[in-house]
Amino acid sequence: MQRTMCYGPYPVYNVTIDKGGNVKYYGEMFVYKSGEHHWRITEKKVKQLNDVIEDFGFRSFVYISS
């Protein structure tokens, strides 16, 4: 997931989580932690995250900017 820059003091970051639970985070601006950070989440948390993504229908989500 990535949040890019826009007008105002909004967070700019990128976070990637692989199937093994390895998290890679890079915070750029207006974030609690700047720079690159790595950690691991449990298999249970990966499954919960995948379930939320599926329930939301994220894969079919289309963003239309005005």
Side-chain angles (χ1 to χ4, degrees), residues 54-65:
E54 286 300 318
D55 291 347
F56 178 72
F58 187 79
R59 297 183 203 289
S60 62
F61 183 73
V62 176
Y63 175 75
I64 301 172
S65 64

Side-chain angles (χ1 to χ4, degrees), residues 19-21 41-52:
K19 292 178 183 179
I41 60 175
T42 65
E43 284 184 37
K44 181 178 179 181
K45 291 292 182 189
V46 172
K47 183 182 178 334
Q48 288 174 337
L49 183 57
N50 280 327
D51 290 347
V52 168

